[in-house]
Amino acid sequence: MRVPLLDLRAQYATIRDEIEPSLLRVAESQSFILGPEVEALEAEIAAYVRAEHAIACASGTDALLLALLDCGVGPGDDVITSAFSFIAAAEVVALLGARPVFVDIEPESFNLDPDALERAITPRTRAIIPVDLYGQCAAMSAIGGIAELHGIPVIEDAAQSLGAEHRGRRAGAMAAYTTFSFYPSKNLCGFGDGGLVTARDAAAAQRLRELRSHGESERYVHARVGTNSRLDALQAAVLRLKLEHLDAWTAARQRHAADYTSRLQARGLGDAVVTPRLGADTSRHVFNQYTLRVRERDALRAHLQECSVGTAVYYPLPLHRQPCFRRLVSNAHLPESERAAASVLSLPLYPELGAEQLAYVVDCIAAFYARAV
Ligand SMILES: *Cc1c(COP(=O)(O)O)cnc(C)c1O
């Protein structure tokens, strides 16, 4: 048996018969960039996450860039973010000439620790970027409270968490800005790159629309320095169709996650394998990833590869240890981020994953520890 980490062809097979009209609609319109297809996607995503405003753009990284530009982040500013995450948020902070300040995570959720955040705030702090890792929201109530007390805007990086909820509120409706990605490994993905940023404030939404089109405020008049970060109509058409399936796909991911957890726990592996925990305030985990903490991670990963089971390590090197930030970063010791980077392992999880495939993955893991002890 083979179990890939992700099987986009399996998803495509389920929508193959419906997708053609969406693609042809764009071909017939010959309207390729922004336009009615993108506007419709923006309205549908805004309704889905219960956001006031949604602005589509070219990628999740650009969504972060646009939000930071709108906050006026630049040289001399600090932006606080999680040390255990994908590089995008910290990267755009550095590109704008500001300094990323990394704080540690809560060990159970893998997300930004609000107490560490509070200790890291200084007069230079210009924005805070919590990340909703693996499909679960960060501690947004606590983070939002701290940010409000200090008058600092929050940009929630929900690239992995479209549809996730914290205390009944969706990512997209909790922060001044929330960013999403439609990269092919995300739970809602296009036929290429894509992204979106939601905004609470109407004036901010208008500025974000301008920023994604060269800061153009009227034809060939540029109020601000922006960029080219427009979404293609073709991507919007694909995403609109897939959005109709997202709740069913999320339910399947949640079922598979529960199945993994009960099967792994039944194997009596003790603390060699720690299954994902839902925080008390997590009302919906969308399981973009199913991530374990495991003992002998790299050896287990090699064993699973021999069993033709795909796995991933999100992420093996915390951001404060990245070579590209060597000159920017002062806080060198973030123990929970380092512990997570050394022990996490994500298993195959996608809606179409078969029950036999899942059982096989668990068998392979149990066989590894039976042999190792
Ligand atoms: C994927 C991802 C991004 C970047 O999204 P792109 O669309 O690939 O630019 C940013 N942050 C996190 C946490 C991600 O997982």
Side-chain angles (χ1 to χ4, degrees), residues 41-59:
L41 174 73
E42 291 174 338
E44 287 158 13
I45 298 270
Y48 188 74
V49 303
R50 303 160 204 152
E52 299 291 328
H53 309 278
I55 299 92
C57 61
S59 72

Side-chain angles (χ1 to χ4, degrees), residues 49 132 137 156 158 161-165 169-174 178 180:
V49 303
D132 302 335
C137 290
E156 182 179 359
S161 296
L162 180 63
E165 290 177 13
R169 292 164 75 204
R170 282 208 173 163
M174 289 185 278
T178 305
F180 297 95

Side-chain angles (χ1 to χ4, degrees), residues 73-81 89-90 92-102 120 122 124-127 325 327-331:
V73 168
D77 295 331
D78 284 351
V79 176
I80 299 176
T81 190
V92 287
V93 168
L95 274 177
L96 290 172
R99 187 176 63 166
V101 172
F102 298 111
T122 73
R124 287 168 57 122
T125 308
R126 191 64 184 262
F325 295 138
R327 260 183 249 104
L328 278 177
V329 172
S330 50
N331 47 346

Side-chain angles (χ1 to χ4, degrees), residues 333-363:
H333 187 56
L334 299 170
E336 292 301 341
S337 298
E338 281 163 40
R339 218 163 58 83
S343 62
V344 291
L345 188 68
S346 298
L347 301 183
L349 183 71
Y350 43 89
E352 304 76 18
L353 182 69
E356 327 71 48
Q357 289 178 299
L358 190 152
Y360 172 72
V361 175
V362 172
D363 283 345

Side-chain angles (χ1 to χ4, degrees), residues 164-202:
E165 290 177 13
H166 170 91
R167 295 190 184 172
R169 292 164 75 204
R170 282 208 173 163
M174 289 185 278
Y177 310 85
T178 305
T179 63
F180 297 95
S181 165
F182 307 123
Y183 181 79
S185 66
K186 316 294 183 181
N187 60 336
L188 179 69
C189 63
F191 286 0
D193 275 314
L196 181 138
V197 52
T198 63
R200 190 183 277 154
D201 180 69

Side-chain angles (χ1 to χ4, degrees), residues 156-278:
E156 182 179 359
D157 180 352
Q160 300 183 9
S161 296
L162 180 63
E165 290 177 13
H166 170 91
R167 295 190 184 172
R169 292 164 75 204
R170 282 208 173 163
M174 289 185 278
Y177 310 85
T178 305
T179 63
F180 297 95
S181 165
F182 307 123
Y183 181 79
S185 66
K186 316 294 183 181
N187 60 336
L188 179 69
C189 63
F191 286 0
D193 275 314
L196 181 138
V197 52
T198 63
R200 190 183 277 154
D201 180 69
Q206 179 56 31
R207 289 192 303 268
L208 290 163
R209 283 182 204 289
E210 293 176 7
L211 285 166
R212 78 171 166 190
S213 290
H214 302 292
E216 191 176 62
S217 44
E218 35 184 304
R219 198 74 186 129
Y220 299 125
V221 177
H222 304 267
R224 292 170 197 84
V225 174
T227 184
N228 170 4
S229 183
R230 301 171 299 223
L231 187 70
D232 288 348
L234 214 43
Q235 297 304 342
V238 170
L239 291 164
R240 290 182 66 201
L241 174 74
K242 288 192 176 191
L243 183 62
E244 291 176 27
H245 297 272
L246 187 60
D247 282 335
W249 288 343
T250 299
R253 286 175 181 276
Q254 291 168 330
R255 277 197 305 277
H256 298 327
D259 201 9
Y260 266 133
T261 294
S262 64
R263 283 172 185 272
L264 283 165
Q265 286 177 354
R267 295 304 179 106
L269 299 168
D271 57 7
V273 173
V274 180
T275 51
R277 300 268 190 86
L278 265 64

